[in-house]
Amino acid sequence: MSEKIVINHLRKVYKTDEQETVALEDFSLEIQKGELISIVGPSGCGKTTLLRLIAGLMEPSSGEVSIGGKKCTGPGPDRGMVFQEFALFPWRSVRKNVEFGLEIAGVPAEQRRKTAERYIRAVGLEGFEDHRVHELSGGMKQRVGIARALVTKPDVLLMDEPFGALDAQTRNIMQGELLRIVEKTDTTILFVTHSVDEAVYLSDRIVVLTKRPASIKDIVDIGVPRPRDRASPEFIRLRKQILTELEDENVRPAVHAEALNGGK
Amino acid sequence: MDWQSIIIILCAVCVITGVIILDAMNSPSKYFAYDKDNRRHRMLRKGIIAFVSLVVFVLIWWNLSLLLDNPAIPTPQTTWEALVFLFQNGDSISGMSMWGHMSISLERFFAGLLIALAIAVPFGLLLGYSDTLKEFSSPTLEALRPIAPIAWAPIFLFTVGYTWGPILVVFVGIFFPVLTNTMFGVKKIDPNWVDAAKTLGATKVQTFVKVMLPAAVPYIMNGLRIGMGVGWMCIVASELYASFGGGVGYFISIQAQMGYWPNVYAGIVIIAILGILTTSLADYLHKVITRRMGIE
């Protein structure tokens, strides 16, 4: 069972009355099972669009995503998603949040509970099963978000800047946790981030995008074994390489029209 | 000294002692240190304020009634006597005790409330969900909404009678606030919740039941809270129209026609008390349910 994920010539055009904006241009990528791939790119380049297209939350203008040779249409539990703002259901307890996907799939209550407990343990939240979402810290919330997405055993976990809303320390802890969880569950991950450091720390491969319309500028193999040392010369070299590539893309106009209008 | 002076003095004494007690509570003293983090202290303080407020109100009423010396403004004392008599013996016209009138009004109120909830909640959810349905229904709803619910009373009383008439008026009164708030609740849903449900495999129906409905509950409760206040006004007002069938509103109307003013006031007191009880019930439900839902 080779659950290879193939993204084929994905393209997205936003149409408004006045104009057409190309958000994503000809994106093709093959993701092997168990791989962790990060996507970095200039801000606003269409990283989130790409992830939403793969998740099926948006219709591509052309191109397709297929898993194990089967074309994906619409959203489904084969592609789990983790959101930057967690998107947990506040009216449900931790346990009930994690159980959501199983409930949808019609898994009987007892089995649901067992499976959910296994994943809650996997993300290190044992003892918090019956807590409400608002009682948890940001890092704990995202642990629930990851457990909730993993519980349906997706072929790929799509993570949209999952640690973007966390403080620097929690962020580092969560990165280590994610690697631990990946190792345990053998999950394939597509990870969008604006932090090059995070991308180099986590990924097997990094996809660098061009600015809008986004297309693949480069794919960098990170051959460094884990756990990675952020201070090692190899790590710093890779970081610098990717940062330089991004800077080349970030040729900004001298003054933003928005800045003149006072922010937004 | 006459009664009026005594009452005015009483009133002043009451306010002054109240202020002194509260001041003593707010400033640290060795007799009684008010601790605002202590729940019992807070409740005691609230209780004292409420009590003083009510006493002052009753004293002002008392004074006014003596001052104006009008049969349509009886003293609190005669009102109290009328109230006690009504609970014990009932009134001669309807032949029912106050308990009877109260239960009739409450039954109608809750019947109207249940019907309004049963229709307004699903309808509001659908309106929030489907723009087409909203575009279709809005013109009619917007035309009907500004009509005071009580304006329907004569029609409803004539067409469906003295029991169902007031129920329908209450229904109209509660329907709109609940409908609007429910619809608003669906519109305000975090789109990430819907996306999360979709990526976990939820169908449209599952998303509707498992995400949109619970997410809208705090808004529904808010609509219910507003609606219960409106509904309670509706029940009394619509019963005033009725010339048959019991209920507190009906009781007030017949007593006023006969000029039994203390009885009219007794009815008004009952309405006030039941009104406070229904709104506190709504507040309580709102608090408990939003807390249970983890949304505050």
Side-chain angles (χ1 to χ4, degrees):
Chain A
M1 202 167 62
S2 94
E3 306 295 6
K4 199 166 68 176
I5 294 133
V6 180
I7 303 163
N8 230 337
H9 302 291
L10 217 52
R11 184 168 190 270
K12 177 68 181 176
V13 183
Y14 288 112
K15 286 190 184 119
T16 58
D17 289 343
E18 303 91 45
Q19 56 179 4
E20 291 189 353
T21 318
V22 183
L24 187 73
E25 190 68 86
D26 196 27
F27 186 97
S28 297
L29 186 68
E30 282 193 10
I31 306 169
Q32 304 301 326
K33 185 164 168 55
E35 227 182 346
L36 200 163
I37 295 189
S38 285
I39 296 172
V40 295
S43 37
C45 76
K47 297 186 292 263
T48 299
T49 304
L50 171 64
L51 218 55
R52 291 176 63 84
L53 287 171
I54 297 168
L57 293 170
M58 257 183 199
E59 280 286 314
S61 306
S62 63
E64 60 172 44
V65 178
S66 60
I67 296 175
K70 243 181 76 194
K71 193 187 166 189
C72 305
T73 49
D78 52 345
R79 284 147 295 148
M81 185 133 177
V82 176
F83 298 80
Q84 179 176 8
E85 299 299 336
F86 318 129
L88 302 176
F89 306 123
W91 57 90
R92 289 172 166 249
S93 62
V94 168
R95 186 202 306 282
K96 288 280 174 190
N97 262 286
V98 177
E99 279 185 17
F100 190 89
L102 302 171
E103 231 175 276
I104 295 296
V107 176
E110 201 178 315
Q111 197 186 332
R112 218 157 63 199
R113 201 182 161 93
K114 264 192 203 152
T115 314
E117 256 161 26
R118 209 169 62 235
Y119 280 93
I120 290 170
R121 228 177 300 127
V123 298
L125 279 180
E126 58 269 59
F128 290 95
E129 288 88 348
D130 295 314
H131 279 58
R132 296 262 155 200
V133 172
H134 67 90
E135 295 168 328
L136 305 179
S137 68
M140 288 161 95
K141 281 180 188 162
Q142 199 55 295
R143 285 167 198 252
V144 179
I146 293 169
R148 183 180 65 175
L150 284 177
V151 86
T152 52
K153 294 203 161 84
D155 293 315
V156 60
L157 190 61
L158 307 168
M159 305 184 87
D160 185 9
E161 297 197 20
F163 307 144
L166 306 178
D167 64 81
Q169 274 182 37
T170 313
R171 201 176 172 138
N172 282 351
I173 296 169
M174 288 302 289
Q175 288 164 2
E177 280 291 285
L178 181 66
L179 290 178
R180 196 179 56 76
I181 296 164
V182 169
E183 207 172 301
K184 238 191 235 175
T185 54
D186 195 26
T187 314
T188 311
I189 293 183
L190 195 59
F191 192 101
V192 163
T193 178
H194 57 252
S195 159
V196 173
D197 180 83
E198 184 167 82
V200 177
Y201 186 75
L202 294 175
S203 318
D204 296 311
R205 284 193 287 163
I206 299 179
V207 178
V208 184
L209 295 183
T210 63
K211 71 174 185 195
R212 211 170 247 260
S215 59
I216 297 180
K217 182 183 171 71
D218 192 12
I219 298 179
V220 183
D221 263 301
I222 311 289
V224 187
R226 299 190 182 96
R228 292 173 186 163
D229 178 7
R230 284 188 158 90
S232 71
E234 183 66 2
F235 193 96
I236 294 168
R237 191 190 61 73
L238 281 163
R239 236 187 86 171
K240 189 156 183 219
Q241 180 197 334
I242 292 161
L243 278 171
T244 318
E245 283 185 35
L246 280 177
E247 264 164 37
D248 292 345
E249 282 306 313
N250 270 325
V251 190
R252 295 163 195 275
V255 180
H256 263 291
E258 290 115 1
L260 285 176
N261 295 333
K264 278 217 159 180
Chain B
M1 270 212 296
D2 59 349
W3 267 106
Q4 271 174 278
S5 327
I6 293 171
I7 286 167
I8 290 169
I9 291 165
L10 264 177
C11 197
V13 167
C14 196
V15 172
I16 291 165
T17 41
V19 168
I20 290 170
I21 294 172
L22 289 175
D23 187 59
M25 284 172 80
N26 282 331
S27 58
S29 87
K30 58 181 167 181
Y31 303 111
F32 187 89
Y34 174 65
D35 175 8
K36 70 176 187 303
D37 296 326
N38 186 324
R39 194 160 161 265
R40 268 164 70 194
H41 286 199
R42 281 205 310 269
M43 281 176 61
L44 183 64
R45 180 173 177 276
K46 258 192 189 165
I48 293 175
I49 295 178
F51 180 75
V52 171
S53 157
L54 283 176
V55 170
V56 169
F57 168 74
V58 170
L59 289 173
I60 290 172
W61 167 17
W62 208 319
N63 199 20
L64 270 178
S65 110
L66 292 173
L67 194 72
L68 298 173
D69 193 26
N70 184 321
I73 310 177
T75 61
Q77 194 195 354
T78 40
T79 304
W80 174 253
E81 283 161 7
L83 201 56
V84 172
F85 184 84
L86 285 168
F87 273 111
Q88 282 170 349
N89 308 306
D91 70 288
S92 48
I93 305 171
S94 66
M96 248 191 282
S97 88
M98 194 48 105
W99 292 117
H101 289 296
M102 278 166 65
S103 64
I104 287 173
S105 289
L106 283 173
E107 272 168 27
R108 290 172 180 168
F109 174 76
F110 283 108
L113 178 76
L114 287 180
I115 299 170
L117 280 180
I119 297 176
V121 171
F123 192 31
L125 289 172
L126 287 171
L127 282 180
Y129 186 69
S130 156
D131 283 335
T132 315
L133 182 63
K134 190 177 174 221
E135 282 155 10
F136 174 77
S137 320
S138 279
T140 313
L141 289 174
E142 289 311 315
L144 293 176
R145 188 202 311 277
I147 301 171
I150 194 62
W152 297 103
I155 301 164
F156 288 159
L157 286 168
F158 181 78
T159 48
V160 293
Y162 295 115
T163 301
W164 280 95
I167 291 177
L168 285 184
V169 177
V170 173
F171 163 75
V172 173
I174 298 177
F175 178 78
F176 282 105
V178 173
L179 183 78
T180 321
N181 277 278
T182 307
M183 191 174 77
F184 186 67
V186 178
K187 291 266 177 229
K188 290 284 281 181
I189 283 176
D190 184 345
N192 278 335
W193 289 341
V194 178
D195 284 347
K198 279 185 191 164
T199 56
L200 288 163
T203 61
K204 276 188 176 168
V205 176
Q206 284 171 324
T207 309
F208 193 79
V209 175
K210 287 184 186 284
V211 179
M212 297 196 167
L213 177 61
V217 163
Y219 295 89
I220 296 171
M221 291 311 297
N222 194 40
L224 179 66
R225 194 160 60 159
I226 300 166
M228 277 173 92
V230 177
W232 188 246
M233 285 184 216
C234 290
I235 188 71
V236 175
S238 61
E239 284 172 352
L240 287 174
Y241 271 94
S243 51
F244 187 76
V248 182
Y250 160 80
F251 167 82
I252 291 174
S253 145
I254 51 168
Q255 298 299 324
Q257 280 164 29
M258 304 302 287
Y260 294 162
W261 297 107
N263 285 2
V264 173
Y265 276 67
I268 290 172
V269 169
I270 292 299
I271 288 168
I273 291 170
L274 290 182
I276 289 170
L277 289 180
T278 43
T279 28
S280 350
L281 174 68
D283 282 344
Y284 178 74
L285 283 176
H286 182 264
K287 211 167 107 181
V288 167
I289 292 181
T290 45
R291 187 168 295 170
R292 252 196 71 85
M293 303 284 293
I295 308 167
E296 284 176 66

